[in-house]
């Protein structure tokens, strides 16, 4: 009986150690490297579209959009945020916001790989005819000329797959993907920038639009996903019950 109890204790100890293993870590929406990577990936694609864009705006980070993306990612729901169809529900100043969603493993995740996957939908999109043979709405939102703000977030969501499964979301302002409209105007790069714009890397930069704004009072609903783990108290309680 004593041996059996000891073996049971070791089994519980092993179970708790496995259960308490820390979930994969992912960058926060305030991580500077994460922000820079998200912006660099977007602007690299936007500045090198084919055919060339005459009116493609430079894209910068938006704190409120990132908060919205994180709140929805924390729901661990592989579907679009209902706020995208409701005025001023995704952002305090953009009436509507666009949204792209990626699902995959957090271990190999990088913003470049996820945003690159959205870009790869270009193979299904015909700029001249506006036809999309498969899914291509992620691509057209990434290269939507008038969307100049973006906020992204990633959360680990085991319930959507394996332990390391993560959901990565980017919200855009103003939104893109209007029906029967091309994402940008074809032409010589920057040839249709506004008078107050400057051209850099084939993108129209505007100091006023690019300005970083803070949204301390913007708090969209969303809680971090629950993590099931056995802590030390759990371990002690379980061991005591064996005797």
């Amino acid at each position: 009986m004593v041996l059996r109890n000891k073996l049971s204790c070791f089994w519980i100890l092993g179970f708790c150690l496995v259960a308490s293993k820390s979930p994969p870590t992912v960058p926060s929406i305030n991580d500077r490297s994460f922000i820079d990577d998200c912006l660099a990936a977007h602007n690299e694609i936007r500045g090198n579209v084919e055919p060339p864009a005459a009116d493609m705006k430079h894209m910068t980070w938006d704190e409120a959009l990132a908060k919205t993306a994180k709140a929805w990612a924390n729901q661990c729901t592989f579907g679009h945020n209902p706020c995208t169809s409701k005025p001023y529900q995704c952002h305090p100043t953009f009436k509507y916001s666009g949204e792209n969603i990626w699902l995959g493993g957090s271990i190999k995740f990088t913003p470049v790989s996820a945003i690159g996957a959205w870009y790869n939908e270009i193979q299904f999109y015909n700029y001249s005819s506006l036809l999309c043979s498969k899914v291509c709405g992620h691509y057209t939102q990434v290269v939507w000329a008038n969307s100049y703000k973006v906020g992204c977030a990633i959360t680990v969501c085991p319930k959507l797959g394996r332990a390391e499964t993560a959901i990565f979301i980017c919200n855009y302002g103003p939104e893109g993907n209007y029906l029967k409209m091309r994402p940008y105007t074809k032409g010589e790069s920057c040839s249709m920038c506004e008078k107050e714009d400057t051209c850099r890397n084939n993108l129209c930069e505007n100091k006023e639009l690019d300005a970083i704004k803070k949204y301390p009072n913007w708090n969209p609903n969303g809680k971090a996903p629950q993590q099931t783990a056995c802590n030390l108290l759990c371990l002690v309680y379980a061991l005591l019950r064996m005797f």
Side-chain angles (χ1 to χ4, degrees):
M1 178 67 69
V2 173
L3 177 60
R4 188 174 64 181
N5 285 343
K6 288 183 177 179
L7 290 175
S8 297
C9 290
F10 281 121
W11 183 88
I12 293 172
L13 175 61
F15 173 79
C16 287
L17 289 175
V18 171
S20 62
K21 183 180 179 181
S22 298
T25 58
V26 292
S28 74
I29 59 174
N30 299 311
D31 186 300
R32 190 68 250 178
S33 294
F34 174 72
I35 293 172
D36 290 344
D37 288 346
C38 289
L39 291 176
H42 277 93
N43 284 319
E44 175 69 19
I45 291 171
R46 291 167 69 83
N48 294 282
V49 290
E50 285 293 336
D55 57 347
M56 187 70 72
K57 295 183 184 298
H58 178 248
M59 188 167 276
T60 52
W61 192 256
D62 186 271
E63 180 184 87
L65 289 173
K67 286 183 177 181
T68 298
K70 186 62 176 177
W72 184 240
N74 283 347
Q75 300 299 318
C76 289
T77 300
F78 190 48
H80 284 293
N81 193 331
C83 77
T84 56
S85 61
K86 301 174 183 177
Y88 301 108
Q89 294 300 300
C90 280
H91 194 276
T93 58
F94 291 124
K95 187 173 182 179
Y96 295 103
S97 299
E99 183 179 61
N100 278 352
I101 303 175
W102 172 93
L103 188 72
S106 61
I107 297 175
K108 294 184 178 180
F109 165 83
T110 65
V112 173
S113 64
I115 297 166
W118 295 335
Y119 168 77
N120 288 336
E121 293 177 0
I122 188 176
Q123 62 188 302
F124 307 123
Y125 180 70
N126 187 304
Y127 180 90
S128 299
S129 66
L130 290 176
L131 293 178
C132 182
S133 59
K134 290 185 179 180
V135 176
C136 60
H138 303 94
Y139 164 72
T140 51
Q141 175 59 84
V142 169
V143 299
W144 200 267
N146 198 45
S147 296
Y148 60 89
K149 288 292 185 180
V150 65
C152 306
I154 180 171
T155 296
V156 176
C157 295
K159 78 173 189 178
L160 293 178
R162 299 181 179 181
E164 73 277 6
T165 297
I167 190 166
F168 173 66
I169 298 176
C170 288
N171 286 119
Y172 302 85
E175 70 166 337
N177 287 348
Y178 287 95
L179 292 176
K180 298 182 180 180
M181 287 184 63
R182 292 183 174 84
Y184 60 86
T185 303
K186 180 174 67 174
E188 182 181 350
S189 298
C190 295
S191 59
M192 292 181 64
C193 291
E194 301 294 335
K195 291 182 179 180
E196 60 272 20
D197 293 348
T198 57
C199 181
R200 186 163 70 93
N201 297 327
N202 302 328
L203 299 172
C204 303
E205 288 192 341
N206 182 290
K207 290 184 178 181
E208 183 177 349
L209 296 183
D210 286 356
I212 303 300
K213 297 180 180 180
K214 295 293 183 180
Y215 298 89
N217 298 321
W218 179 250
N219 294 299
N221 294 326
K223 297 181 179 179
Q226 295 293 321
Q227 300 292 340
T228 301
C230 220
N231 56 24
L232 181 59
L233 181 61
C234 158
L235 176 60
V236 172
Y237 175 75
L239 291 176
L240 288 175
R241 284 181 60 87
M242 300 303 302
F243 298 96

